[in-house]
Short mmCIF file of all heavy atoms in Angstrom, two decimals:
data_model
loop_
_atom_site.label_atom_id
_atom_site.label_comp_id
_atom_site.label_asym_id
_atom_site.label_seq_id
_atom_site.Cartn_x
_atom_site.Cartn_y
_atom_site.Cartn_z
N MET F 1 13.10 -4.50 8.74
CA MET F 1 11.98 -4.20 7.88
C MET F 1 12.15 -4.95 6.57
O MET F 1 13.13 -4.74 5.87
CB MET F 1 11.93 -2.69 7.63
CG MET F 1 10.86 -2.27 6.66
SD MET F 1 10.77 -0.47 6.42
CE MET F 1 11.01 0.15 8.05
N PRO F 2 11.23 -5.84 6.25
CA PRO F 2 11.33 -6.57 4.98
C PRO F 2 11.24 -5.63 3.78
O PRO F 2 10.53 -4.63 3.81
CB PRO F 2 10.13 -7.51 5.02
CG PRO F 2 9.77 -7.62 6.46
CD PRO F 2 10.12 -6.31 7.06
N VAL F 3 11.92 -5.98 2.75
CA VAL F 3 11.86 -5.26 1.49
C VAL F 3 11.69 -6.31 0.40
O VAL F 3 12.43 -7.29 0.36
CB VAL F 3 13.14 -4.44 1.23
CG1 VAL F 3 13.07 -3.75 -0.11
CG2 VAL F 3 13.36 -3.43 2.35
N THR F 4 10.71 -6.12 -0.47
CA THR F 4 10.48 -7.08 -1.53
C THR F 4 11.59 -7.00 -2.56
O THR F 4 12.40 -6.07 -2.56
CB THR F 4 9.13 -6.83 -2.22
OG1 THR F 4 9.18 -5.56 -2.86
CG2 THR F 4 7.98 -6.89 -1.25
N ASP F 5 11.61 -7.95 -3.48
CA ASP F 5 12.61 -7.96 -4.55
C ASP F 5 12.56 -6.68 -5.37
O ASP F 5 13.56 -6.26 -5.92
CB ASP F 5 12.39 -9.16 -5.48
CG ASP F 5 12.69 -10.48 -4.79
OD1 ASP F 5 13.43 -10.46 -3.78
OD2 ASP F 5 12.19 -11.51 -5.26
N THR F 6 11.39 -6.07 -5.45
CA THR F 6 11.26 -4.85 -6.26
C THR F 6 11.51 -3.58 -5.45
O THR F 6 11.50 -2.50 -6.00
CB THR F 6 9.87 -4.77 -6.89
OG1 THR F 6 8.88 -4.79 -5.85
CG2 THR F 6 9.63 -5.90 -7.86
N GLY F 7 11.70 -3.70 -4.13
CA GLY F 7 12.07 -2.54 -3.33
C GLY F 7 10.99 -1.96 -2.44
O GLY F 7 11.24 -0.96 -1.78
N LEU F 8 9.80 -2.54 -2.39
CA LEU F 8 8.75 -2.03 -1.52
C LEU F 8 9.10 -2.34 -0.07
O LEU F 8 9.31 -3.50 0.29
CB LEU F 8 7.40 -2.66 -1.88
CG LEU F 8 6.21 -2.24 -1.03
CD1 LEU F 8 5.90 -0.76 -1.26
CD2 LEU F 8 5.00 -3.09 -1.36
N ALA F 9 9.17 -1.32 0.78
CA ALA F 9 9.51 -1.51 2.19
C ALA F 9 8.24 -1.61 3.01
O ALA F 9 7.31 -0.83 2.84
CB ALA F 9 10.36 -0.35 2.69
N TRP F 10 8.20 -2.61 3.92
CA TRP F 10 7.04 -2.81 4.77
C TRP F 10 7.46 -3.47 6.07
O TRP F 10 8.54 -4.03 6.16
CB TRP F 10 5.98 -3.64 4.06
CG TRP F 10 6.46 -4.94 3.49
CD1 TRP F 10 6.99 -5.12 2.25
CD2 TRP F 10 6.51 -6.20 4.12
NE1 TRP F 10 7.35 -6.43 2.07
CE2 TRP F 10 7.06 -7.13 3.21
CE3 TRP F 10 6.14 -6.67 5.38
CZ2 TRP F 10 7.24 -8.47 3.51
CZ3 TRP F 10 6.32 -8.01 5.67
CH2 TRP F 10 6.86 -8.88 4.74
N GLU F 11 6.57 -3.36 7.07
CA GLU F 11 6.84 -3.99 8.36
C GLU F 11 5.54 -4.53 8.94
O GLU F 11 4.56 -3.79 9.05
CB GLU F 11 7.45 -2.99 9.33
CG GLU F 11 7.77 -3.57 10.68
CD GLU F 11 8.44 -2.59 11.62
OE1 GLU F 11 8.63 -1.42 11.25
OE2 GLU F 11 8.76 -3.00 12.73
N ASP F 12 5.52 -5.81 9.29
CA ASP F 12 4.36 -6.39 9.94
C ASP F 12 4.23 -5.80 11.34
O ASP F 12 5.21 -5.68 12.07
CB ASP F 12 4.49 -7.91 10.02
CG ASP F 12 4.38 -8.57 8.66
OD1 ASP F 12 3.86 -7.94 7.71
OD2 ASP F 12 4.82 -9.73 8.53
N LEU F 13 3.01 -5.44 11.71
CA LEU F 13 2.76 -4.80 13.00
C LEU F 13 2.44 -5.80 14.10
O LEU F 13 2.67 -5.52 15.27
CB LEU F 13 1.63 -3.78 12.86
CG LEU F 13 1.92 -2.67 11.85
CD1 LEU F 13 0.70 -1.78 11.67
CD2 LEU F 13 3.12 -1.86 12.28
N THR F 14 1.89 -6.93 13.75
CA THR F 14 1.63 -8.02 14.68
C THR F 14 1.96 -9.32 13.95
O THR F 14 2.14 -9.31 12.73
CB THR F 14 0.15 -8.06 15.13
OG1 THR F 14 -0.66 -8.50 14.05
CG2 THR F 14 -0.32 -6.71 15.65
N PRO F 15 2.00 -10.43 14.65
CA PRO F 15 2.30 -11.70 13.96
C PRO F 15 1.24 -12.12 12.94
O PRO F 15 1.56 -12.84 11.99
CB PRO F 15 2.36 -12.71 15.11
CG PRO F 15 2.69 -11.91 16.31
CD PRO F 15 2.00 -10.59 16.10
N VAL F 16 -0.01 -11.65 13.09
CA VAL F 16 -1.08 -12.17 12.25
C VAL F 16 -1.70 -11.12 11.32
O VAL F 16 -2.02 -11.40 10.18
CB VAL F 16 -2.20 -12.79 13.13
CG1 VAL F 16 -3.35 -13.30 12.29
CG2 VAL F 16 -1.63 -13.90 13.98
N ILE F 17 -1.90 -9.90 11.80
CA ILE F 17 -2.65 -8.90 11.04
C ILE F 17 -1.94 -7.55 11.11
O ILE F 17 -1.27 -7.23 12.08
CB ILE F 17 -4.09 -8.79 11.58
CG1 ILE F 17 -4.95 -7.95 10.65
CG2 ILE F 17 -4.12 -8.24 12.98
CD1 ILE F 17 -6.43 -7.98 10.98
N GLY F 18 -2.07 -6.78 10.03
CA GLY F 18 -1.57 -5.42 10.01
C GLY F 18 -0.15 -5.29 9.52
O GLY F 18 0.75 -5.93 10.05
N THR F 19 0.03 -4.46 8.49
CA THR F 19 1.35 -4.18 7.93
C THR F 19 1.45 -2.69 7.65
O THR F 19 0.53 -2.10 7.09
CB THR F 19 1.57 -4.98 6.63
OG1 THR F 19 1.53 -6.37 6.94
CG2 THR F 19 2.90 -4.65 5.98
N ARG F 20 2.56 -2.09 8.06
CA ARG F 20 2.83 -0.68 7.76
C ARG F 20 3.64 -0.62 6.47
O ARG F 20 4.64 -1.31 6.32
CB ARG F 20 3.62 -0.01 8.89
CG ARG F 20 3.79 1.49 8.64
CD ARG F 20 4.62 2.18 9.69
NE ARG F 20 6.01 1.76 9.55
CZ ARG F 20 6.77 1.35 10.55
NH1 ARG F 20 6.30 1.29 11.76
NH2 ARG F 20 8.01 0.99 10.34
N ILE F 21 3.19 0.21 5.53
CA ILE F 21 3.88 0.40 4.26
C ILE F 21 4.67 1.70 4.35
O ILE F 21 4.12 2.76 4.63
CB ILE F 21 2.87 0.48 3.09
CG1 ILE F 21 1.93 -0.74 3.08
CG2 ILE F 21 3.59 0.67 1.77
CD1 ILE F 21 2.63 -2.06 2.89
N ASP F 22 5.97 1.60 4.10
CA ASP F 22 6.85 2.77 4.19
C ASP F 22 7.29 3.21 2.80
O ASP F 22 8.43 2.99 2.39
CB ASP F 22 8.06 2.44 5.06
CG ASP F 22 7.68 2.19 6.50
OD1 ASP F 22 6.92 3.00 7.05
OD2 ASP F 22 8.12 1.19 7.06
N SER F 23 6.37 3.80 2.07
CA SER F 23 6.66 4.34 0.74
C SER F 23 6.07 5.73 0.65
O SER F 23 5.09 6.05 1.34
CB SER F 23 6.05 3.46 -0.35
OG SER F 23 6.66 2.20 -0.36
N ASP F 24 6.64 6.57 -0.20
CA ASP F 24 6.11 7.92 -0.34
C ASP F 24 4.91 7.95 -1.28
O ASP F 24 4.62 6.99 -1.99
CB ASP F 24 7.20 8.90 -0.81
CG ASP F 24 7.76 8.53 -2.17
OD1 ASP F 24 7.02 8.00 -3.02
OD2 ASP F 24 8.95 8.79 -2.39
N ARG F 25 4.19 9.03 -1.25
CA ARG F 25 2.94 9.15 -2.01
C ARG F 25 3.15 9.01 -3.51
O ARG F 25 2.35 8.40 -4.20
CB ARG F 25 2.20 10.43 -1.66
CG ARG F 25 2.98 11.68 -1.96
CD ARG F 25 2.44 12.96 -1.35
NE ARG F 25 1.10 13.25 -1.81
CZ ARG F 25 0.17 13.76 -1.04
NH1 ARG F 25 0.43 14.07 0.20
NH2 ARG F 25 -1.02 14.00 -1.52
N GLU F 26 4.24 9.55 -4.04
CA GLU F 26 4.50 9.45 -5.48
C GLU F 26 4.69 8.00 -5.90
O GLU F 26 4.19 7.56 -6.93
CB GLU F 26 5.73 10.28 -5.87
CG GLU F 26 5.51 11.78 -5.78
CD GLU F 26 5.59 12.33 -4.36
OE1 GLU F 26 6.18 11.66 -3.47
OE2 GLU F 26 5.05 13.42 -4.13
N THR F 27 5.41 7.24 -5.09
CA THR F 27 5.64 5.82 -5.38
C THR F 27 4.32 5.06 -5.37
O THR F 27 4.04 4.26 -6.26
CB THR F 27 6.62 5.21 -4.36
OG1 THR F 27 7.86 5.91 -4.45
CG2 THR F 27 6.84 3.74 -4.62
N LEU F 28 3.49 5.31 -4.35
CA LEU F 28 2.22 4.60 -4.24
C LEU F 28 1.26 5.00 -5.36
O LEU F 28 0.54 4.15 -5.90
CB LEU F 28 1.59 4.85 -2.88
CG LEU F 28 2.38 4.27 -1.71
CD1 LEU F 28 1.80 4.74 -0.39
CD2 LEU F 28 2.41 2.76 -1.78
N LEU F 29 1.25 6.26 -5.75
CA LEU F 29 0.38 6.71 -6.83
C LEU F 29 0.83 6.21 -8.19
O LEU F 29 0.03 6.12 -9.12
CB LEU F 29 0.28 8.23 -6.84
CG LEU F 29 -0.51 8.85 -5.69
CD1 LEU F 29 -0.34 10.36 -5.67
CD2 LEU F 29 -1.97 8.46 -5.77
N SER F 30 2.09 5.83 -8.32
CA SER F 30 2.61 5.34 -9.60
C SER F 30 2.00 4.00 -10.00
O SER F 30 1.99 3.65 -11.17
CB SER F 30 4.14 5.18 -9.54
OG SER F 30 4.50 4.02 -8.80
N GLY F 31 1.50 3.25 -9.03
CA GLY F 31 0.94 1.94 -9.31
C GLY F 31 1.98 0.84 -9.43
O GLY F 31 1.65 -0.32 -9.64
N LYS F 32 3.23 1.18 -9.27
CA LYS F 32 4.33 0.22 -9.43
C LYS F 32 4.18 -0.99 -8.51
O LYS F 32 4.55 -2.10 -8.87
CB LYS F 32 5.65 0.93 -9.16
CG LYS F 32 6.87 0.06 -9.32
CD LYS F 32 8.14 0.86 -9.12
CE LYS F 32 9.37 -0.01 -9.29
NZ LYS F 32 10.61 0.75 -9.13
N TYR F 33 3.63 -0.79 -7.33
CA TYR F 33 3.53 -1.86 -6.35
C TYR F 33 2.09 -2.32 -6.11
O TYR F 33 1.80 -2.98 -5.12
CB TYR F 33 4.14 -1.42 -5.02
CG TYR F 33 5.59 -1.06 -5.14
CD1 TYR F 33 6.02 0.25 -5.03
CD2 TYR F 33 6.55 -2.04 -5.41
CE1 TYR F 33 7.37 0.57 -5.15
CE2 TYR F 33 7.88 -1.71 -5.54
CZ TYR F 33 8.27 -0.41 -5.41
OH TYR F 33 9.60 -0.09 -5.54
N GLY F 34 1.19 -1.99 -7.01
CA GLY F 34 -0.22 -2.34 -6.84
C GLY F 34 -0.45 -3.82 -6.58
O GLY F 34 -1.18 -4.19 -5.66
N LYS F 35 0.17 -4.67 -7.37
CA LYS F 35 -0.02 -6.12 -7.22
C LYS F 35 0.50 -6.59 -5.86
O LYS F 35 -0.17 -7.36 -5.16
CB LYS F 35 0.69 -6.86 -8.34
CG LYS F 35 0.53 -8.36 -8.26
CD LYS F 35 1.24 -9.07 -9.40
CE LYS F 35 1.12 -10.58 -9.24
NZ LYS F 35 1.87 -11.30 -10.24
N GLU F 36 1.68 -6.13 -5.47
CA GLU F 36 2.25 -6.53 -4.19
C GLU F 36 1.40 -6.04 -3.02
O GLU F 36 1.21 -6.77 -2.04
CB GLU F 36 3.68 -6.00 -4.06
CG GLU F 36 4.64 -6.69 -4.99
CD GLU F 36 6.00 -6.04 -4.93
OE1 GLU F 36 6.70 -6.28 -3.95
OE2 GLU F 36 6.31 -5.30 -5.88
N LEU F 37 0.92 -4.81 -3.11
CA LEU F 37 0.09 -4.27 -2.04
C LEU F 37 -1.22 -5.03 -1.93
O LEU F 37 -1.69 -5.32 -0.81
CB LEU F 37 -0.17 -2.78 -2.27
CG LEU F 37 1.04 -1.88 -2.08
CD1 LEU F 37 0.75 -0.48 -2.58
CD2 LEU F 37 1.49 -1.86 -0.63
N ARG F 38 -1.82 -5.37 -3.05
CA ARG F 38 -3.06 -6.15 -3.04
C ARG F 38 -2.83 -7.52 -2.38
O ARG F 38 -3.62 -7.97 -1.56
CB ARG F 38 -3.58 -6.30 -4.46
CG ARG F 38 -4.96 -6.91 -4.56
CD ARG F 38 -5.54 -6.92 -5.97
NE ARG F 38 -4.62 -7.44 -6.97
CZ ARG F 38 -3.96 -6.71 -7.87
NH1 ARG F 38 -4.09 -5.40 -7.91
NH2 ARG F 38 -3.15 -7.28 -8.74
N GLU F 39 -1.71 -8.16 -2.71
CA GLU F 39 -1.38 -9.45 -2.10
C GLU F 39 -1.16 -9.32 -0.59
O GLU F 39 -1.63 -10.14 0.19
CB GLU F 39 -0.15 -10.05 -2.77
CG GLU F 39 -0.42 -10.53 -4.18
CD GLU F 39 0.84 -10.96 -4.94
OE1 GLU F 39 1.95 -10.90 -4.36
OE2 GLU F 39 0.70 -11.31 -6.11
N LEU F 40 -0.44 -8.27 -0.18
CA LEU F 40 -0.24 -8.04 1.26
C LEU F 40 -1.57 -7.79 1.96
O LEU F 40 -1.81 -8.30 3.07
CB LEU F 40 0.68 -6.83 1.49
CG LEU F 40 2.16 -7.09 1.55
CD1 LEU F 40 2.94 -5.77 1.63
CD2 LEU F 40 2.53 -7.98 2.72
N LEU F 41 -2.46 -7.03 1.35
CA LEU F 41 -3.77 -6.75 1.93
C LEU F 41 -4.56 -8.05 2.11
O LEU F 41 -5.18 -8.27 3.16
CB LEU F 41 -4.54 -5.77 1.06
CG LEU F 41 -5.93 -5.37 1.55
CD1 LEU F 41 -5.86 -4.76 2.94
CD2 LEU F 41 -6.56 -4.40 0.56
N GLN F 42 -4.50 -8.92 1.12
CA GLN F 42 -5.21 -10.19 1.23
C GLN F 42 -4.61 -11.08 2.32
O GLN F 42 -5.33 -11.76 3.04
CB GLN F 42 -5.19 -10.92 -0.12
CG GLN F 42 -6.06 -10.25 -1.15
CD GLN F 42 -5.93 -10.85 -2.54
OE1 GLN F 42 -4.96 -11.56 -2.84
NE2 GLN F 42 -6.89 -10.58 -3.39
N GLN F 43 -3.29 -11.05 2.46
CA GLN F 43 -2.63 -11.87 3.46
C GLN F 43 -2.78 -11.32 4.88
O GLN F 43 -2.97 -12.07 5.83
CB GLN F 43 -1.13 -11.97 3.15
CG GLN F 43 -0.81 -12.73 1.90
CD GLN F 43 0.65 -12.56 1.50
OE1 GLN F 43 1.45 -11.97 2.23
NE2 GLN F 43 1.01 -13.06 0.34
N ARG F 44 -2.67 -9.99 5.03
CA ARG F 44 -2.57 -9.37 6.34
C ARG F 44 -3.84 -8.67 6.81
O ARG F 44 -3.96 -8.30 7.97
CB ARG F 44 -1.41 -8.37 6.36
CG ARG F 44 -0.07 -8.95 5.91
CD ARG F 44 0.54 -9.84 6.93
NE ARG F 44 0.76 -9.03 8.14
CZ ARG F 44 0.98 -9.52 9.33
NH1 ARG F 44 1.04 -10.80 9.51
NH2 ARG F 44 1.17 -8.72 10.35
N GLY F 45 -4.79 -8.41 5.91
CA GLY F 45 -6.08 -7.84 6.28
C GLY F 45 -6.11 -6.34 6.44
O GLY F 45 -7.11 -5.71 6.13
N VAL F 46 -5.04 -5.73 6.91
CA VAL F 46 -4.98 -4.29 7.15
C VAL F 46 -3.61 -3.77 6.71
O VAL F 46 -2.58 -4.33 7.09
CB VAL F 46 -5.17 -3.95 8.65
CG1 VAL F 46 -4.99 -2.47 8.90
CG2 VAL F 46 -6.52 -4.43 9.15
N LEU F 47 -3.63 -2.69 5.92
CA LEU F 47 -2.39 -2.00 5.56
C LEU F 47 -2.47 -0.59 6.09
O LEU F 47 -3.49 0.08 5.96
CB LEU F 47 -2.20 -1.95 4.03
CG LEU F 47 -2.11 -3.30 3.31
CD1 LEU F 47 -1.91 -3.07 1.82
CD2 LEU F 47 -1.02 -4.18 3.88
N ILE F 48 -1.39 -0.12 6.70
CA ILE F 48 -1.29 1.22 7.26
C ILE F 48 -0.30 2.01 6.40
O ILE F 48 0.80 1.54 6.12
CB ILE F 48 -0.76 1.19 8.71
CG1 ILE F 48 -1.58 0.23 9.57
CG2 ILE F 48 -0.66 2.58 9.30
CD1 ILE F 48 -2.91 0.73 9.99
N PHE F 49 -0.71 3.21 6.01
CA PHE F 49 0.14 4.10 5.22
C PHE F 49 0.30 5.41 6.00
O PHE F 49 -0.47 6.35 5.82
CB PHE F 49 -0.51 4.40 3.86
CG PHE F 49 -0.78 3.17 3.04
CD1 PHE F 49 -1.97 2.47 3.17
CD2 PHE F 49 0.16 2.71 2.14
CE1 PHE F 49 -2.23 1.35 2.40
CE2 PHE F 49 -0.08 1.59 1.37
CZ PHE F 49 -1.28 0.90 1.50
N PRO F 50 1.27 5.47 6.92
CA PRO F 50 1.37 6.63 7.82
C PRO F 50 1.72 7.92 7.10
O PRO F 50 2.56 7.95 6.19
CB PRO F 50 2.46 6.23 8.81
CG PRO F 50 3.23 5.15 8.17
CD PRO F 50 2.31 4.49 7.17
N LYS F 51 1.03 8.97 7.50
CA LYS F 51 1.35 10.36 7.14
C LYS F 51 1.37 10.63 5.64
O LYS F 51 2.09 11.51 5.18
CB LYS F 51 2.67 10.78 7.77
CG LYS F 51 2.67 10.68 9.27
CD LYS F 51 3.99 11.10 9.85
CE LYS F 51 3.97 10.90 11.34
NZ LYS F 51 5.22 11.26 11.98
N LEU F 52 0.57 9.94 4.84
CA LEU F 52 0.53 10.21 3.41
C LEU F 52 -0.28 11.45 3.10
O LEU F 52 0.08 12.23 2.23
CB LEU F 52 -0.04 9.02 2.64
CG LEU F 52 0.89 7.85 2.46
CD1 LEU F 52 0.19 6.74 1.70
CD2 LEU F 52 2.16 8.25 1.75
N GLY F 53 -1.40 11.60 3.77
CA GLY F 53 -2.23 12.78 3.56
C GLY F 53 -2.81 12.88 2.16
O GLY F 53 -2.87 13.96 1.59
N PHE F 54 -3.24 11.74 1.58
CA PHE F 54 -3.88 11.78 0.27
C PHE F 54 -5.13 12.66 0.32
O PHE F 54 -5.91 12.58 1.26
CB PHE F 54 -4.35 10.39 -0.15
CG PHE F 54 -3.28 9.47 -0.69
CD1 PHE F 54 -3.44 8.10 -0.60
CD2 PHE F 54 -2.14 9.96 -1.30
CE1 PHE F 54 -2.49 7.23 -1.11
CE2 PHE F 54 -1.18 9.10 -1.80
CZ PHE F 54 -1.35 7.74 -1.71
N ASN F 55 -5.32 13.48 -0.73
CA ASN F 55 -6.60 14.16 -0.86
C ASN F 55 -7.58 13.17 -1.50
O ASN F 55 -7.20 12.04 -1.82
CB ASN F 55 -6.47 15.46 -1.67
CG ASN F 55 -6.00 15.25 -3.09
OD1 ASN F 55 -6.34 14.24 -3.74
ND2 ASN F 55 -5.22 16.19 -3.61
N ASP F 56 -8.83 13.57 -1.68
CA ASP F 56 -9.84 12.63 -2.20
C ASP F 56 -9.46 12.08 -3.57
O ASP F 56 -9.59 10.89 -3.83
CB ASP F 56 -11.20 13.31 -2.28
CG ASP F 56 -11.80 13.59 -0.91
OD1 ASP F 56 -11.31 13.02 0.09
OD2 ASP F 56 -12.76 14.38 -0.84
N GLU F 57 -9.00 12.93 -4.45
CA GLU F 57 -8.62 12.51 -5.80
C GLU F 57 -7.45 11.52 -5.77
O GLU F 57 -7.46 10.50 -6.47
CB GLU F 57 -8.25 13.73 -6.65
CG GLU F 57 -7.90 13.40 -8.08
CD GLU F 57 -7.57 14.64 -8.88
OE1 GLU F 57 -8.43 15.53 -8.96
OE2 GLU F 57 -6.45 14.70 -9.43
N GLU F 58 -6.45 11.81 -4.96
CA GLU F 58 -5.30 10.91 -4.84
C GLU F 58 -5.71 9.56 -4.24
O GLU F 58 -5.21 8.52 -4.66
CB GLU F 58 -4.21 11.55 -3.98
CG GLU F 58 -3.53 12.72 -4.65
CD GLU F 58 -2.65 13.50 -3.70
OE1 GLU F 58 -2.98 13.59 -2.49
OE2 GLU F 58 -1.64 14.05 -4.16
N GLN F 59 -6.62 9.59 -3.28
CA GLN F 59 -7.09 8.34 -2.68
C GLN F 59 -7.76 7.44 -3.72
O GLN F 59 -7.51 6.24 -3.78
CB GLN F 59 -8.08 8.63 -1.54
CG GLN F 59 -8.57 7.38 -0.84
CD GLN F 59 -7.47 6.65 -0.09
OE1 GLN F 59 -6.74 7.24 0.66
NE2 GLN F 59 -7.38 5.35 -0.31
N VAL F 60 -8.58 8.05 -4.58
CA VAL F 60 -9.23 7.29 -5.65
C VAL F 60 -8.18 6.76 -6.62
O VAL F 60 -8.23 5.59 -7.02
CB VAL F 60 -10.29 8.14 -6.38
CG1 VAL F 60 -10.80 7.45 -7.63
CG2 VAL F 60 -11.45 8.46 -5.44
N GLU F 61 -7.22 7.58 -7.01
CA GLU F 61 -6.18 7.14 -7.94
C GLU F 61 -5.36 6.00 -7.34
O GLU F 61 -5.05 5.02 -8.01
CB GLU F 61 -5.26 8.30 -8.32
CG GLU F 61 -5.93 9.31 -9.23
CD GLU F 61 -6.53 8.69 -10.48
OE1 GLU F 61 -5.82 7.94 -11.18
OE2 GLU F 61 -7.71 8.93 -10.75
N PHE F 62 -5.02 6.11 -6.07
CA PHE F 62 -4.27 5.03 -5.41
C PHE F 62 -5.10 3.75 -5.37
O PHE F 62 -4.59 2.66 -5.68
CB PHE F 62 -3.86 5.43 -4.00
CG PHE F 62 -3.29 4.28 -3.22
CD1 PHE F 62 -2.08 3.72 -3.58
CD2 PHE F 62 -3.98 3.74 -2.15
CE1 PHE F 62 -1.56 2.63 -2.88
CE2 PHE F 62 -3.47 2.66 -1.45
CZ PHE F 62 -2.26 2.11 -1.82
N THR F 63 -6.35 3.86 -5.02
CA THR F 63 -7.22 2.69 -4.95
C THR F 63 -7.30 1.99 -6.29
O THR F 63 -7.30 0.75 -6.35
CB THR F 63 -8.63 3.10 -4.46
OG1 THR F 63 -8.50 3.74 -3.19
CG2 THR F 63 -9.54 1.90 -4.33
N LYS F 64 -7.31 2.74 -7.37
CA LYS F 64 -7.35 2.15 -8.71
C LYS F 64 -6.10 1.31 -8.99
O LYS F 64 -6.15 0.37 -9.77
CB LYS F 64 -7.48 3.23 -9.78
CG LYS F 64 -8.85 3.86 -9.82
CD LYS F 64 -8.90 4.96 -10.87
CE LYS F 64 -10.23 5.65 -10.92
NZ LYS F 64 -10.23 6.75 -11.91
N THR F 65 -4.97 1.62 -8.36
CA THR F 65 -3.76 0.85 -8.58
C THR F 65 -3.84 -0.54 -7.96
O THR F 65 -3.06 -1.42 -8.29
CB THR F 65 -2.49 1.55 -8.03
OG1 THR F 65 -2.50 1.55 -6.60
CG2 THR F 65 -2.36 2.97 -8.56
N LEU F 66 -4.81 -0.73 -7.04
CA LEU F 66 -4.95 -2.00 -6.35
C LEU F 66 -5.91 -2.96 -7.06
O LEU F 66 -5.95 -4.14 -6.75
CB LEU F 66 -5.46 -1.77 -4.92
CG LEU F 66 -4.57 -0.90 -4.03
CD1 LEU F 66 -5.22 -0.70 -2.68
CD2 LEU F 66 -3.19 -1.51 -3.90
N GLY F 67 -6.69 -2.45 -7.99
CA GLY F 67 -7.64 -3.29 -8.71
C GLY F 67 -8.86 -2.49 -9.11
O GLY F 67 -8.84 -1.26 -9.10
N THR F 68 -9.92 -3.18 -9.43
CA THR F 68 -11.15 -2.54 -9.88
C THR F 68 -11.78 -1.76 -8.74
O THR F 68 -11.99 -2.29 -7.65
CB THR F 68 -12.14 -3.59 -10.41
OG1 THR F 68 -11.50 -4.33 -11.45
CG2 THR F 68 -13.40 -2.94 -10.95
N LEU F 69 -12.11 -0.51 -9.02
CA LEU F 69 -12.74 0.37 -8.02
C LEU F 69 -14.25 0.14 -8.03
O LEU F 69 -14.87 0.15 -9.08
CB LEU F 69 -12.42 1.82 -8.36
CG LEU F 69 -12.96 2.90 -7.43
CD1 LEU F 69 -12.38 2.72 -6.03
CD2 LEU F 69 -12.63 4.27 -7.97
N ALA F 70 -14.80 -0.10 -6.87
CA ALA F 70 -16.25 -0.30 -6.74
C ALA F 70 -16.83 0.78 -5.86
O ALA F 70 -16.29 1.07 -4.80
CB ALA F 70 -16.53 -1.68 -6.14
N PHE F 71 -17.91 1.38 -6.31
CA PHE F 71 -18.58 2.41 -5.53
C PHE F 71 -19.82 1.86 -4.89
O PHE F 71 -20.50 1.05 -5.39
CB PHE F 71 -18.97 3.61 -6.40
CG PHE F 71 -17.78 4.45 -6.78
CD1 PHE F 71 -17.14 4.26 -7.98
CD2 PHE F 71 -17.31 5.43 -5.92
CE1 PHE F 71 -16.06 5.04 -8.34
CE2 PHE F 71 -16.22 6.21 -6.27
CZ PHE F 71 -15.59 6.00 -7.49
#
C-alpha cells in the first residue's frame, strides 16, 4: 500500500481507475490531506473511503477540504 511523504495511506484498485483511501474520519475531516486527495481524484477518477459513515454535515465539511463547494 503506497504511503505519501506526509503519511496518507492509499491503494490503487485497478491499474487505471479507482483508489481506496485508508484514513480515519478525523484525519479526513482535518483537511490535512485535501490537496493530495484532490490530486488523486483528478488522476484516478474515483476515490473509495470504506466504512467512514459520514453524516450529512461531515460530508459537506470533508468536501470543503477538497476545494470550492458547488451546489
Side-chain angles (χ1 to χ4, degrees):
M1 176 178 319
V3 178
T4 64
D5 292 339
T6 59
L8 179 66
W10 52 272
E11 181 177 2
D12 291 341
L13 300 174
T14 71
V16 179
I17 191 171
T19 298
R20 185 183 71 228
I21 306 299
D22 294 313
S23 294
D24 61 33
R25 61 193 299 143
E26 290 79 20
T27 299
L28 294 171
L29 289 170
S30 76
K32 181 177 180 179
Y33 300 110
K35 181 180 177 184
E36 290 174 76
L37 290 170
R38 189 174 49 254
E39 289 172 1
L40 271 174
L41 180 58
Q42 289 173 342
Q43 293 169 6
R44 306 286 299 163
V46 175
L47 300 181
I48 307 284
F49 302 88
K51 301 180 184 179
L52 284 179
F54 281 154
N55 62 35
D56 290 345
E57 183 179 302
E58 290 169 328
Q59 182 66 50
V60 170
E61 289 306 309
F62 171 68
T63 303
K64 288 178 182 177
T65 71
L66 301 177
T68 304
L69 181 62
F71 286 96

